[in-house]
Structures are given as structure tokens and as C-alpha cells.
Amino acid sequence: MASVYLFDGDQLRGIASPESARRLRWAAWRPHGEYALLVGNRGQVFRFDEGRFDDLPSQSSHNLRGAAWSPDGALALLAGNRGAVLLYDGQRFHELPSVTAENLRRVAWAPDNSCALIIGNGGVVLRFDRDTGALLPLPGDRAHTMRSIAWRPDGAYALIGAYSSAYAGYPRPHMLYRCDGRYTQALLATDDQDDAVAIAFRPGTQPPRALVLSVAYRDNDAVANKLFEYDGSTFATTPVEAPAALLGAAWRPDGAHALICGERGALFRYDGRSIDALASNTNDNLVGPFWRPGEASALVLKGPDERVYTV
């Protein structure tokens, strides 16, 4: 059974993956698409290149949940449980001193290579300074769990998605935040307990326009999936009819359309106007997509069989 899929622009097909692969959680392509890092449980890291999986010893025992390469391709940051942050220079891993005990989920580098933001549970937002190597918590508004992040292409700020649970402490919990690399500010409140699972800026749009995918669970266990589009000042919302929770969305590198994936093999294409269902030919929970830079192909990972809030 495949734990990694390849979307070739039209179809999804499974890739034979190593029997040693534990649960994989995230993928990060090097900026020029030479290879991708696949990260997962108990410190597992694979280098994926043209269908080949090379096991990279990270020396970490933590579950790794997110990873991202610096725009110049020199460094990758990996983040995971219990505050784990690993720095990878293409040859070896170095674990940075922990500054939080919270589980960390996602990493995003500033477009100018100067720093990276790392987000996670308990409203944690960390800044990694490339010049000094320092890892510091940032002040500002807080959420229950920070779930997704993407920098605006011009570097003005990063947009952060949160699980807007009532446990966050707000009368109306916030789903979206904005961070300039120094301070985190609440941006959009919601009456639903939306879980902003993915954020992606559409390439080539002016002003830069972000796509936010959220899912909210109802009392009767029904699921409400929504797309938010944000142009820096206004929001537009589109409901997405799907039989289960959607888990990820990302624009193709040329901005032609976004691919959306989720539970029970859900796969959709969104061109900014219409949403079309695609046949995935699998009932696996799908996590991603992770587009190869400059190409029309993307990796998609098999998520856990249980409800995947913890992806």
C-alpha cells in the first residue's frame, strides 16, 4: 500500500515506498526541485528523488510534523513534537536548543532568506534568525493552536491560520493572524470553530492574494469545508461540498489552479472561480499537496486513518 502519491497534473498514482517508512507527515521540495525531504514520526527523514527514497539519519526521536527550505536552498528547518527544531544543511542535521515544550507544526521562510517562522500548539510562534542562529518566541496575540502559515511573496508579513477553538479564550475566536516577523496580530474572528488547515498565496497576483482552507466540525459530526480568499484587506468565502474533512490546498507553481485534498481520497481542483472534483482512485486520507517547483506535478502523502486533526 502506498504512503506517497504523485499527482501528474491529471491523475493520482501511488509510489512504492520503503517498508521502513513510518507515518510520514510533511514534504518540502528544495527550491529548484532537485529533491524533496519527507519527514515523519520518530525523527524519520527521507530524501525523495525521482522515485528513490534515501533514509537520512536525523538523530532525533521526536515526531516531525513540518519542514521548509530557505529560498536559496542552503538550509532546511524541520519542526516537531516537544519543541523540536532541526537545521539541515544538505549534509547533516543539527538540533537547536528547545525554547518550548509545545508541539510544533509548520515552518515558513521569509522570501529574503533572513529568518523563518515556526508555529505550533498553544499559540506558539517562533522566529529563527539566520544570521545569529537564535530561536526566539515572538510576542503578540495567541490562539489555541497555530496550524498553517505562508509568507506574502513580497515579505510584508506571514499569514497564520489557527484552530479557532473557544478554548483560545476569545469571545469570538480568531482563525487568521498576521505576523511581520516581530509581532503576531489577530486578523479574522469567526463564529464557527474553523480549523485553518492550509494557506497558500496564488503566484503572480497583484495585490498578493491568499487562499485559506478551513474545516469546522459540527455537533452532529458533520463537516463544513470553506475556502477564504484574502487580498490584504477583504475576504471572500466559498463553501466546498465534500463528504469529509479537507486537509490541504496549494497553488500550482504557475498559479493556474490550486489542488485540494482531504479525507477518504478527496481531491479537487480550484481555478479561482469553480471547484471541480477529481477521481483519486483511493480512499486514503490525503495530505498535501506539495508541488514540485516549476512543474505541474505534486507529491501527496497518505495521512493517518483516524481523524487527522493531529497531522
Side-chain angles (χ1 to χ4, degrees):
M1 181 178 294
S3 58
V4 179
Y5 289 87
L6 178 68
F7 179 74
D8 64 7
D10 294 301
Q11 295 182 324
L12 192 73
R13 62 177 177 84
I15 301 173
S17 50
E19 293 183 4
S20 61
R22 297 182 278 274
R23 182 194 294 177
L24 297 173
R25 292 178 177 268
W26 204 251
W29 285 99
R30 206 169 181 191
H32 295 297
E34 303 97 324
Y35 62 87
L37 294 180
L38 310 183
V39 304
N41 284 3
R42 298 195 296 278
Q44 188 156 61
V45 182
F46 284 103
R47 172 178 164 145
F48 174 82
D49 182 13
E50 302 299 336
R52 175 179 170 178
F53 295 82
D54 293 322
D55 197 351
L56 303 180
S58 72
Q59 310 302 324
S60 175
S61 61
H62 296 296
N63 290 350
L64 300 175
R65 295 174 176 269
W69 283 94
S70 59
D72 63 3
L75 297 173
L77 277 175
L78 289 61
N81 285 3
R82 298 182 180 272
V85 178
L86 278 64
L87 188 65
Y88 180 63
D89 63 5
Q91 299 295 325
R92 59 184 60 84
F93 294 89
H94 171 64
E95 188 161 356
L96 302 181
S98 180
V99 297
T100 178
E102 296 283 1
N103 292 347
L104 303 176
R105 294 177 176 274
R106 300 289 177 262
V107 183
W109 282 85
D112 66 0
N113 282 292
S114 64
C115 68
L117 296 179
I118 304 167
I119 61 170
N121 291 6
V124 168
V125 180
L126 307 179
R127 174 189 167 103
F128 170 76
D129 188 277
R130 182 165 180 172
D131 287 341
T132 65
L135 187 64
L136 297 172
L138 293 185
D141 294 328
R142 286 292 175 260
H144 180 58
T145 296
M146 299 298 201
R147 292 279 278 147
S148 54
I149 183 171
W151 278 90
R152 189 167 132 148
D154 62 6
Y157 58 81
L159 200 60
I160 300 174
Y163 171 41
S164 56
S165 164
Y167 294 108
Y170 290 103
R172 293 181 67 213
H174 289 78
M175 182 190 75
L176 285 177
Y177 293 76
R178 189 157 58 185
C179 181
D180 62 2
R182 301 292 180 183
Y183 188 86
T184 305
Q185 180 182 17
L187 185 63
L188 176 66
T190 174
D191 290 323
D192 292 326
Q193 293 199 48
D194 287 291
D195 189 3
V197 295
I199 298 177
F201 280 88
R202 188 172 190 172
T205 56
Q206 289 297 331
R209 194 172 185 89
L211 182 69
V212 181
L213 173 66
S214 78
V215 56
Y217 297 101
R218 307 304 193 196
D219 291 338
N220 60 359
D221 212 35
V223 173
N225 297 289
K226 287 174 274 185
L227 293 178
F228 294 81
E229 290 208 61
Y230 177 58
D231 64 4
S233 60
T234 60
F235 291 92
T237 307
T238 303
V240 183
E241 296 297 328
L246 299 177
L247 305 172
W251 289 100
R252 204 170 82 167
D254 63 2
H257 61 259
L259 191 66
I260 302 169
C261 59
E263 293 180 331
R264 304 179 198 169
L267 198 64
F268 294 88
R269 180 184 283 130
Y270 174 65
D271 64 4
R273 297 179 301 275
S274 61
I275 302 170
D276 301 310
L278 304 178
S280 68
N281 300 313
T282 179
N283 287 318
D284 286 342
N285 294 333
L286 301 176
V287 177
F290 308 97
W291 290 99
R292 190 167 190 168
E295 297 194 13
S297 63
L299 292 177
V300 178
L301 304 182
K302 177 186 181 298
D305 294 330
E306 68 272 16
R307 176 153 284 173
V308 291
Y309 170 76
T310 57
V311 165

